[in-house]
Every structure is written in C-alpha cells, then in structure tokens.
Amino acid sequence: MRTVVALGGNALVSGGEGGVAEMRDHLARVAPQLGTLAERGHDLVVTHGNGPQVGGLLREQAAADTAERPLDVLVAETQAQIGTLVVRALDAELDAQAVSVVTHAVVDSDDDAFSDPAKPVGPYLDADTARNADYSTREVETERGTVHRRVVPSPKPRGLLESEHVARLADAGTPVVCGGGGGVPVARDDGNESLRGVEAVVDKDYTAELLARETDADTLLLVTDVPCAYRNYNTPDQEPIRDASVGRMRDLLDAGEFEAGSMRPKVDACLDFLDADGERAIITTIDDAAAAVEGDAGTRIS
C-alpha cells in the first residue's frame, strides 16, 4: 500500500520564516504520524512546501550584494535543505532509512500561467521599488495594508523526471522525500530536447498528485493547517466536509466553494488523482493524518 503525503501549512512552519530550528520542532510532530502509517503497512513517499524558505532566500538576495540565483536554483536549494531535515526526522522514527531526491517538474512553456504571473514570492516591496523592478509585481493585501510583491507563473507540472527512481526506491521499502516546493521547474523549447530552468513556482499539491499517479500510489494525503475542507469556510454557516464522493466535490468546486490559492488546488488535485483511478484522497492536519487514513478524521474523497 503506497501513500503520497504532501506536507504543507503548519506541518513545517506556523507563521515563521522556515528557519531550521522551527522546522525541526514541527517535524518532531510530523514524524510520529508518518511512523504510525508506516507501521500500518504504508510505503511512504513524502513531499513538502517551501514557500517561506524560498522567500527567505529571496529576501537575503535583495538585502545582500551577492550574485543573484534564479528561482529554479533556489527551489533546488530548499529541496535539499528541507529534505535532509525530513529524512533525519523519519530515520529517527522508522525502521527503514529514508532517502531524499531532488526532483524536477517538467512544465509546458506554452502554459497559460506564463502569460499571467500570479504567484506572490519574496519580500514585500514599496510602490517605488515595485515600479522600478525588472520583474512583474502585484498589489497584495496584508495586515500592514496594501503592499507589492513579485509575482511569477505557476504552471501545472506535466511530468517528473525522477518518478521512476522514486518508484523503485519505494518498491524496495525505502521511504522517499521528493518533489519539494512542487519540484524544480524546467521546460523544453520547441524542437529542443534539452531542459532549461524557468522562473516559476509549481504548486506542490499538483506535484503530489502527479507523483502519486506516476508511482502508482493508492492514497494521496494532503496535509494542511485546517482539519478538513469546509463548505462556507470562515462564515457562520461553516460546515465540515467529511466523507464525500468525487461528484459532490466536483459540484462544490465548480460552484466556487473553495478559495483559489488555498483549498481549491487541493480539491482539484484530489479529483485529478481519483479520476486517474487513485483509490482515495484525503485532506487533513498533520495531527490527524493517521486517523484520517483510517477513516476517523479529515475530508476523505473516494
């Protein structure tokens, strides 16, 4: 039984900037839940977010007189950084030694996302800095009021270069940490087989779903900072969604029930996985992860 676990939300950080000490503290909560799944017979493939960590590197670059590193390289750096911390946490909990794999996500250079950059990354900018920047920026609302941030494309992944290697490791009983931050974004130009890095961020939920399909996983488990998906979220009529069919969740998705950039991509990824003959998809918190897989917590779609 293979389960792809996507760690996001407060699984790694909660309001901080993703420092090593903070991530270690959070992973001390994550690892026992993953250990419980492993004890129950789940072969684990674990992926994770990296937004705060990439943001920190972008802020460091902006503040220091150092050579600029492109976004694809920063994603690779944070994959290695977070991957080694997750591996150590898993090794302390599991019988098998985990392996971290830096993973590349192939995107289509003609993806509509490249004509409409919308994913905010990096530090907050004042209006003058944003106006003079040599990259796209957008106003965003924060607790500090209206600020500006750099925005980059967020194309869907079309393939993962290392999927076969990950599957072989998982087949051998090795827990694998991979696909962090959605994967290092790369693309092929028309008529050219070589790959190039692109200035983009791939949504980790879509990468987790693709990873689950390409490694023949039975279960896709998306870990976030709310116990489940909700109808009428954050309103007096908020209603938890527990066991749901693909049809019901698609109706809610089409009706605009889930917020873009938050729960919407998670539900969309779950439905893609189930449409491709996945067995079940689950949305929950890290503390409820093992219970949700057993059917006692979270949103479970099948």
Side-chain angles (χ1 to χ4, degrees), residues 176-210:
V176 186
V177 182
C178 60
V184 179
V186 293
R188 289 185 175 90
D189 294 320
D190 289 341
N192 190 344
E193 286 302 309
S194 62
L195 290 162
R196 59 178 176 84
V198 295
E199 291 284 305
V201 172
V202 180
D203 190 294
K204 70 180 182 304
D205 296 319
Y206 292 128
T207 294
E209 184 276 325
L210 182 58

PDB file of all heavy atoms in Angstrom, residues 176-210:
ATOM      1  N   VAL A 176      10.734   7.787   0.779  1.00  0.00           N
ATOM      2  CA  VAL A 176      11.358   8.767  -0.114  1.00  0.00           C
ATOM      3  C   VAL A 176      10.800  10.151   0.167  1.00  0.00           C
ATOM      4  O   VAL A 176       9.579  10.333   0.278  1.00  0.00           O
ATOM      5  CB  VAL A 176      11.130   8.413  -1.593  1.00  0.00           C
ATOM      6  CG1 VAL A 176      11.922   9.359  -2.497  1.00  0.00           C
ATOM      7  CG2 VAL A 176      11.504   6.964  -1.881  1.00  0.00           C
ATOM      8  N   VAL A 177      11.679  11.126   0.256  1.00  0.00           N
ATOM      9  CA  VAL A 177      11.308  12.536   0.363  1.00  0.00           C
ATOM     10  C   VAL A 177      11.676  13.183  -0.963  1.00  0.00           C
ATOM     11  O   VAL A 177      12.850  13.137  -1.376  1.00  0.00           O
ATOM     12  CB  VAL A 177      12.042  13.230   1.521  1.00  0.00           C
ATOM     13  CG1 VAL A 177      11.605  14.689   1.632  1.00  0.00           C
ATOM     14  CG2 VAL A 177      11.794  12.496   2.834  1.00  0.00           C
ATOM     15  N   CYS A 178      10.702  13.774  -1.661  1.00  0.00           N
ATOM     16  CA  CYS A 178      10.968  14.290  -3.004  1.00  0.00           C
ATOM     17  C   CYS A 178       9.912  15.321  -3.388  1.00  0.00           C
ATOM     18  O   CYS A 178       8.940  15.534  -2.658  1.00  0.00           O
ATOM     19  CB  CYS A 178      10.973  13.144  -4.017  1.00  0.00           C
ATOM     20  SG  CYS A 178       9.400  12.243  -4.094  1.00  0.00           S
ATOM     21  N   GLY A 179      10.116  15.964  -4.543  1.00  0.00           N
ATOM     22  CA  GLY A 179       9.111  16.879  -5.079  1.00  0.00           C
ATOM     23  C   GLY A 179       8.887  18.122  -4.254  1.00  0.00           C
ATOM     24  O   GLY A 179       7.856  18.778  -4.385  1.00  0.00           O
ATOM     25  N   GLY A 180       9.843  18.486  -3.391  1.00  0.00           N
ATOM     26  CA  GLY A 180       9.646  19.629  -2.513  1.00  0.00           C
ATOM     27  C   GLY A 180       9.394  20.921  -3.267  1.00  0.00           C
ATOM     28  O   GLY A 180      10.011  21.185  -4.301  1.00  0.00           O
ATOM     29  N   GLY A 181       8.463  21.724  -2.740  1.00  0.00           N
ATOM     30  CA  GLY A 181       8.141  23.002  -3.370  1.00  0.00           C
ATOM     31  C   GLY A 181       7.543  22.864  -4.747  1.00  0.00           C
ATOM     32  O   GLY A 181       7.538  23.809  -5.541  1.00  0.00           O
ATOM     33  N   GLY A 182       7.001  21.680  -5.048  1.00  0.00           N
ATOM     34  CA  GLY A 182       6.431  21.441  -6.372  1.00  0.00           C
ATOM     35  C   GLY A 182       7.433  20.937  -7.377  1.00  0.00           C
ATOM     36  O   GLY A 182       7.071  20.599  -8.504  1.00  0.00           O
ATOM     37  N   GLY A 183       8.708  20.865  -6.984  1.00  0.00           N
ATOM     38  CA  GLY A 183       9.750  20.423  -7.905  1.00  0.00           C
ATOM     39  C   GLY A 183      10.469  21.594  -8.548  1.00  0.00           C
ATOM     40  O   GLY A 183       9.932  22.703  -8.660  1.00  0.00           O
ATOM     41  N   VAL A 184      11.703  21.358  -8.976  1.00  0.00           N
ATOM     42  CA  VAL A 184      12.469  22.377  -9.695  1.00  0.00           C
ATOM     43  C   VAL A 184      11.836  22.553 -11.074  1.00  0.00           C
ATOM     44  O   VAL A 184      11.784  21.595 -11.856  1.00  0.00           O
ATOM     45  CB  VAL A 184      13.943  21.945  -9.847  1.00  0.00           C
ATOM     46  CG1 VAL A 184      14.730  23.000 -10.623  1.00  0.00           C
ATOM     47  CG2 VAL A 184      14.569  21.687  -8.480  1.00  0.00           C
ATOM     48  N   PRO A 185      11.319  23.742 -11.407  1.00  0.00           N
ATOM     49  CA  PRO A 185      10.606  23.900 -12.678  1.00  0.00           C
ATOM     50  C   PRO A 185      11.559  23.963 -13.866  1.00  0.00           C
ATOM     51  O   PRO A 185      12.486  24.771 -13.900  1.00  0.00           O
ATOM     52  CB  PRO A 185       9.866  25.236 -12.503  1.00  0.00           C
ATOM     53  CG  PRO A 185      10.688  25.997 -11.507  1.00  0.00           C
ATOM     54  CD  PRO A 185      11.316  24.979 -10.605  1.00  0.00           C
ATOM     55  N   VAL A 186      11.331  23.087 -14.834  1.00  0.00           N
ATOM     56  CA  VAL A 186      12.138  23.044 -16.053  1.00  0.00           C
ATOM     57  C   VAL A 186      11.206  22.894 -17.247  1.00  0.00           C
ATOM     58  O   VAL A 186      10.072  22.407 -17.126  1.00  0.00           O
ATOM     59  CB  VAL A 186      13.158  21.885 -16.033  1.00  0.00           C
ATOM     60  CG1 VAL A 186      14.228  22.113 -14.968  1.00  0.00           C
ATOM     61  CG2 VAL A 186      12.477  20.544 -15.821  1.00  0.00           C
ATOM     62  N   ALA A 187      11.686  23.317 -18.410  1.00  0.00           N
ATOM     63  CA  ALA A 187      10.866  23.249 -19.628  1.00  0.00           C
ATOM     64  C   ALA A 187      11.749  22.934 -20.816  1.00  0.00           C
ATOM     65  O   ALA A 187      12.973  23.145 -20.786  1.00  0.00           O
ATOM     66  CB  ALA A 187      10.125  24.560 -19.852  1.00  0.00           C
ATOM     67  N   ARG A 188      11.128  22.420 -21.875  1.00  0.00           N
ATOM     68  CA  ARG A 188      11.807  22.180 -23.147  1.00  0.00           C
ATOM     69  C   ARG A 188      11.282  23.183 -24.163  1.00  0.00           C
ATOM     70  O   ARG A 188      10.077  23.389 -24.295  1.00  0.00           O
ATOM     71  CB  ARG A 188      11.532  20.761 -23.658  1.00  0.00           C
ATOM     72  CG  ARG A 188      12.220  19.663 -22.873  1.00  0.00           C
ATOM     73  CD  ARG A 188      11.999  18.305 -23.530  1.00  0.00           C
ATOM     74  NE  ARG A 188      12.756  17.250 -22.852  1.00  0.00           N
ATOM     75  CZ  ARG A 188      12.290  16.529 -21.848  1.00  0.00           C
ATOM     76  NH1 ARG A 188      11.054  16.730 -21.400  1.00  0.00           N
ATOM     77  NH2 ARG A 188      13.036  15.602 -21.284  1.00  0.00           N
ATOM     78  N   ASP A 189      12.187  23.784 -24.912  1.00  0.00           N
ATOM     79  CA  ASP A 189      11.771  24.643 -26.013  1.00  0.00           C
ATOM     80  C   ASP A 189      11.398  23.787 -27.213  1.00  0.00           C
ATOM     81  O   ASP A 189      11.843  22.645 -27.338  1.00  0.00           O
ATOM     82  CB  ASP A 189      12.897  25.609 -26.385  1.00  0.00           C
ATOM     83  CG  ASP A 189      13.189  26.598 -25.261  1.00  0.00           C
ATOM     84  OD1 ASP A 189      12.226  27.064 -24.633  1.00  0.00           O
ATOM     85  OD2 ASP A 189      14.375  26.880 -25.027  1.00  0.00           O
ATOM     86  N   ASP A 190      10.576  24.320 -28.106  1.00  0.00           N
ATOM     87  CA  ASP A 190      10.156  23.579 -29.290  1.00  0.00           C
ATOM     88  C   ASP A 190      11.370  23.097 -30.074  1.00  0.00           C
ATOM     89  O   ASP A 190      12.297  23.865 -30.368  1.00  0.00           O
ATOM     90  CB  ASP A 190       9.292  24.466 -30.196  1.00  0.00           C
ATOM     91  CG  ASP A 190       7.924  24.742 -29.582  1.00  0.00           C
ATOM     92  OD1 ASP A 190       7.533  23.978 -28.685  1.00  0.00           O
ATOM     93  OD2 ASP A 190       7.273  25.723 -29.988  1.00  0.00           O
ATOM     94  N   GLY A 191      11.375  21.799 -30.394  1.00  0.00           N
ATOM     95  CA  GLY A 191      12.442  21.236 -31.186  1.00  0.00           C
ATOM     96  C   GLY A 191      13.747  21.030 -30.446  1.00  0.00           C
ATOM     97  O   GLY A 191      14.751  20.677 -31.041  1.00  0.00           O
ATOM     98  N   ASN A 192      13.723  21.231 -29.144  1.00  0.00           N
ATOM     99  CA  ASN A 192      14.947  21.093 -28.352  1.00  0.00           C
ATOM    100  C   ASN A 192      14.680  20.139 -27.205  1.00  0.00           C
ATOM    101  O   ASN A 192      13.780  20.368 -26.392  1.00  0.00           O
ATOM    102  CB  ASN A 192      15.365  22.469 -27.811  1.00  0.00           C
ATOM    103  CG  ASN A 192      16.735  22.447 -27.182  1.00  0.00           C
ATOM    104  OD1 ASN A 192      17.272  21.385 -26.872  1.00  0.00           O
ATOM    105  ND2 ASN A 192      17.319  23.623 -26.994  1.00  0.00           N
ATOM    106  N   GLU A 193      15.452  19.060 -27.130  1.00  0.00           N
ATOM    107  CA  GLU A 193      15.242  18.062 -26.099  1.00  0.00           C
ATOM    108  C   GLU A 193      15.881  18.432 -24.760  1.00  0.00           C
ATOM    109  O   GLU A 193      15.583  17.845 -23.737  1.00  0.00           O
ATOM    110  CB  GLU A 193      15.784  16.701 -26.562  1.00  0.00           C
ATOM    111  CG  GLU A 193      14.901  16.033 -27.609  1.00  0.00           C
ATOM    112  CD  GLU A 193      13.476  15.807 -27.113  1.00  0.00           C
ATOM    113  OE1 GLU A 193      13.305  15.240 -26.021  1.00  0.00           O
ATOM    114  OE2 GLU A 193      12.545  16.223 -27.819  1.00  0.00           O
ATOM    115  N   SER A 194      16.796  19.386 -24.772  1.00  0.00           N
ATOM    116  CA  SER A 194      17.450  19.768 -23.521  1.00  0.00           C
ATOM    117  C   SER A 194      16.504  20.601 -22.669  1.00  0.00           C
ATOM    118  O   SER A 194      15.607  21.284 -23.172  1.00  0.00           O
ATOM    119  CB  SER A 194      18.737  20.547 -23.805  1.00  0.00           C
ATOM    120  OG  SER A 194      18.445  21.748 -24.488  1.00  0.00           O
ATOM    121  N   LEU A 195      16.714  20.539 -21.366  1.00  0.00           N
ATOM    122  CA  LEU A 195      15.849  21.232 -20.414  1.00  0.00           C
ATOM    123  C   LEU A 195      16.504  22.513 -19.937  1.00  0.00           C
ATOM    124  O   LEU A 195      17.728  22.598 -19.814  1.00  0.00           O
ATOM    125  CB  LEU A 195      15.577  20.321 -19.210  1.00  0.00           C
ATOM    126  CG  LEU A 195      14.683  19.112 -19.482  1.00  0.00           C
ATOM    127  CD1 LEU A 195      14.849  18.085 -18.369  1.00  0.00           C
ATOM    128  CD2 LEU A 195      13.229  19.534 -19.601  1.00  0.00           C
ATOM    129  N   ARG A 196      15.682  23.509 -19.639  1.00  0.00           N
ATOM    130  CA  ARG A 196      16.170  24.748 -19.056  1.00  0.00           C
ATOM    131  C   ARG A 196      15.323  25.083 -17.833  1.00  0.00           C
ATOM    132  O   ARG A 196      14.129  24.778 -17.774  1.00  0.00           O
ATOM    133  CB  ARG A 196      16.097  25.898 -20.067  1.00  0.00           C
ATOM    134  CG  ARG A 196      14.690  26.177 -20.585  1.00  0.00           C
ATOM    135  CD  ARG A 196      14.627  27.347 -21.546  1.00  0.00           C
ATOM    136  NE  ARG A 196      13.275  27.504 -22.090  1.00  0.00           N
ATOM    137  CZ  ARG A 196      12.295  28.167 -21.477  1.00  0.00           C
ATOM    138  NH1 ARG A 196      12.517  28.738 -20.292  1.00  0.00           N
ATOM    139  NH2 ARG A 196      11.094  28.263 -22.034  1.00  0.00           N
ATOM    140  N   GLY A 197      15.948  25.701 -16.845  1.00  0.00           N
ATOM    141  CA  GLY A 197      15.203  26.158 -15.688  1.00  0.00           C
ATOM    142  C   GLY A 197      14.334  27.346 -16.051  1.00  0.00           C
ATOM    143  O   GLY A 197      14.686  28.142 -16.936  1.00  0.00           O
ATOM    144  N   VAL A 198      13.185  27.460 -15.387  1.00  0.00           N
ATOM    145  CA  VAL A 198      12.285  28.577 -15.661  1.00  0.00           C
ATOM    146  C   VAL A 198      11.960  29.297 -14.354  1.00  0.00           C
ATOM    147  O   VAL A 198      11.971  28.711 -13.272  1.00  0.00           O
ATOM    148  CB  VAL A 198      10.976  28.104 -16.344  1.00  0.00           C
ATOM    149  CG1 VAL A 198      11.268  27.538 -17.714  1.00  0.00           C
ATOM    150  CG2 VAL A 198      10.248  27.067 -15.499  1.00  0.00           C
ATOM    151  N   GLU A 199      11.677  30.601 -14.490  1.00  0.00           N
ATOM    152  CA  GLU A 199      11.317  31.432 -13.344  1.00  0.00           C
ATOM    153  C   GLU A 199       9.840  31.208 -13.046  1.00  0.00           C
ATOM    154  O   GLU A 199       8.973  31.921 -13.545  1.00  0.00           O
ATOM    155  CB  GLU A 199      11.598  32.907 -13.645  1.00  0.00           C
ATOM    156  CG  GLU A 199      13.068  33.233 -13.746  1.00  0.00           C
ATOM    157  CD  GLU A 199      13.730  33.292 -12.373  1.00  0.00           C
ATOM    158  OE1 GLU A 199      13.262  34.041 -11.498  1.00  0.00           O
ATOM    159  OE2 GLU A 199      14.717  32.561 -12.167  1.00  0.00           O
ATOM    160  N   ALA A 200       9.568  30.194 -12.254  1.00  0.00           N
ATOM    161  CA  ALA A 200       8.190  29.815 -11.956  1.00  0.00           C
ATOM    162  C   ALA A 200       8.164  29.061 -10.638  1.00  0.00           C
ATOM    163  O   ALA A 200       9.208  28.660 -10.109  1.00  0.00           O
ATOM    164  CB  ALA A 200       7.607  28.947 -13.078  1.00  0.00           C
ATOM    165  N   VAL A 201       6.960  28.873 -10.105  1.00  0.00           N
ATOM    166  CA  VAL A 201       6.744  28.053  -8.915  1.00  0.00           C
ATOM    167  C   VAL A 201       5.617  27.080  -9.231  1.00  0.00           C
ATOM    168  O   VAL A 201       4.536  27.494  -9.647  1.00  0.00           O
ATOM    169  CB  VAL A 201       6.363  28.915  -7.690  1.00  0.00           C
ATOM    170  CG1 VAL A 201       5.956  28.035  -6.524  1.00  0.00           C
ATOM    171  CG2 VAL A 201       7.522  29.819  -7.283  1.00  0.00           C
ATOM    172  N   VAL A 202       5.872  25.800  -9.052  1.00  0.00           N
ATOM    173  CA  VAL A 202       4.866  24.770  -9.303  1.00  0.00           C
ATOM    174  C   VAL A 202       4.134  24.469  -8.007  1.00  0.00           C
ATOM    175  O   VAL A 202       4.759  24.284  -6.952  1.00  0.00           O
ATOM    176  CB  VAL A 202       5.521  23.493  -9.863  1.00  0.00           C
ATOM    177  CG1 VAL A 202       4.469  22.412 -10.116  1.00  0.00           C
ATOM    178  CG2 VAL A 202       6.292  23.808 -11.144  1.00  0.00           C
ATOM    179  N   ASP A 203       2.809  24.427  -8.051  1.00  0.00           N
ATOM    180  CA  ASP A 203       2.024  24.151  -6.846  1.00  0.00           C
ATOM    181  C   ASP A 203       2.311  22.742  -6.346  1.00  0.00           C
ATOM    182  O   ASP A 203       2.198  21.768  -7.083  1.00  0.00           O
ATOM    183  CB  ASP A 203       0.530  24.303  -7.170  1.00  0.00           C
ATOM    184  CG  ASP A 203      -0.338  24.272  -5.926  1.00  0.00           C
ATOM    185  OD1 ASP A 203      -0.395  23.211  -5.268  1.00  0.00           O
ATOM    186  OD2 ASP A 203      -0.959  25.301  -5.597  1.00  0.00           O
ATOM    187  N   LYS A 204       2.675  22.641  -5.068  1.00  0.00           N
ATOM    188  CA  LYS A 204       3.082  21.349  -4.511  1.00  0.00           C
ATOM    189  C   LYS A 204       1.950  20.334  -4.509  1.00  0.00           C
ATOM    190  O   LYS A 204       2.197  19.121  -4.574  1.00  0.00           O
ATOM    191  CB  LYS A 204       3.621  21.523  -3.098  1.00  0.00           C
ATOM    192  CG  LYS A 204       2.572  21.891  -2.071  1.00  0.00           C
ATOM    193  CD  LYS A 204       3.148  22.061  -0.687  1.00  0.00           C
ATOM    194  CE  LYS A 204       2.066  22.379   0.327  1.00  0.00           C
ATOM    195  NZ  LYS A 204       1.256  23.571  -0.010  1.00  0.00           N
ATOM    196  N   ASP A 205       0.689  20.784  -4.428  1.00  0.00           N
ATOM    197  CA  ASP A 205      -0.425  19.843  -4.413  1.00  0.00           C
ATOM    198  C   ASP A 205      -0.574  19.149  -5.762  1.00  0.00           C
ATOM    199  O   ASP A 205      -0.839  17.943  -5.827  1.00  0.00           O
ATOM    200  CB  ASP A 205      -1.726  20.556  -4.032  1.00  0.00           C
ATOM    201  CG  ASP A 205      -1.678  21.107  -2.622  1.00  0.00           C
ATOM    202  OD1 ASP A 205      -1.160  20.405  -1.733  1.00  0.00           O
ATOM    203  OD2 ASP A 205      -2.143  22.235  -2.399  1.00  0.00           O
ATOM    204  N   TYR A 206      -0.392  19.900  -6.856  1.00  0.00           N
ATOM    205  CA  TYR A 206      -0.450  19.278  -8.177  1.00  0.00           C
ATOM    206  C   TYR A 206       0.732  18.342  -8.402  1.00  0.00           C
ATOM    207  O   TYR A 206       0.593  17.286  -9.030  1.00  0.00           O
ATOM    208  CB  TYR A 206      -0.491  20.352  -9.265  1.00  0.00           C
ATOM    209  CG  TYR A 206      -1.772  21.150  -9.276  1.00  0.00           C
ATOM    210  CD1 TYR A 206      -1.767  22.539  -9.247  1.00  0.00           C
ATOM    211  CD2 TYR A 206      -3.006  20.507  -9.311  1.00  0.00           C
ATOM    212  CE1 TYR A 206      -2.939  23.272  -9.262  1.00  0.00           C
ATOM    213  CE2 TYR A 206      -4.192  21.226  -9.317  1.00  0.00           C
ATOM    214  CZ  TYR A 206      -4.154  22.603  -9.291  1.00  0.00           C
ATOM    215  OH  TYR A 206      -5.332  23.324  -9.288  1.00  0.00           O
ATOM    216  N   THR A 207       1.889  18.712  -7.879  1.00  0.00           N
ATOM    217  CA  THR A 207       3.040  17.824  -7.999  1.00  0.00           C
ATOM    218  C   THR A 207       2.834  16.552  -7.179  1.00  0.00           C
ATOM    219  O   THR A 207       3.175  15.450  -7.624  1.00  0.00           O
ATOM    220  CB  THR A 207       4.319  18.543  -7.545  1.00  0.00           C
ATOM    221  OG1 THR A 207       4.588  19.608  -8.470  1.00  0.00           O
ATOM    222  CG2 THR A 207       5.507  17.602  -7.504  1.00  0.00           C
ATOM    223  N   ALA A 208       2.261  16.679  -5.978  1.00  0.00           N
ATOM    224  CA  ALA A 208       1.983  15.496  -5.157  1.00  0.00           C
ATOM    225  C   ALA A 208       1.025  14.560  -5.879  1.00  0.00           C
ATOM    226  O   ALA A 208       1.190  13.331  -5.859  1.00  0.00           O
ATOM    227  CB  ALA A 208       1.408  15.916  -3.811  1.00  0.00           C
ATOM    228  N   GLU A 209       0.010  15.139  -6.530  1.00  0.00           N
ATOM    229  CA  GLU A 209      -0.960  14.319  -7.265  1.00  0.00           C
ATOM    230  C   GLU A 209      -0.286  13.599  -8.426  1.00  0.00           C
ATOM    231  O   GLU A 209      -0.510  12.400  -8.654  1.00  0.00           O
ATOM    232  CB  GLU A 209      -2.102  15.209  -7.768  1.00  0.00           C
ATOM    233  CG  GLU A 209      -3.220  14.465  -8.457  1.00  0.00           C
ATOM    234  CD  GLU A 209      -2.952  14.197  -9.929  1.00  0.00           C
ATOM    235  OE1 GLU A 209      -2.331  15.056 -10.592  1.00  0.00           O
ATOM    236  OE2 GLU A 209      -3.369  13.114 -10.419  1.00  0.00           O
ATOM    237  N   LEU A 210       0.550  14.326  -9.169  1.00  0.00           N
ATOM    238  CA  LEU A 210       1.256  13.710 -10.291  1.00  0.00           C
ATOM    239  C   LEU A 210       2.212  12.630  -9.794  1.00  0.00           C
ATOM    240  O   LEU A 210       2.318  11.546 -10.379  1.00  0.00           O
ATOM    241  CB  LEU A 210       2.014  14.781 -11.067  1.00  0.00           C
ATOM    242  CG  LEU A 210       2.786  14.334 -12.302  1.00  0.00           C
ATOM    243  CD1 LEU A 210       1.871  13.649 -13.310  1.00  0.00           C
ATOM    244  CD2 LEU A 210       3.494  15.528 -12.941  1.00  0.00           C
TER     245      LEU A 210
END
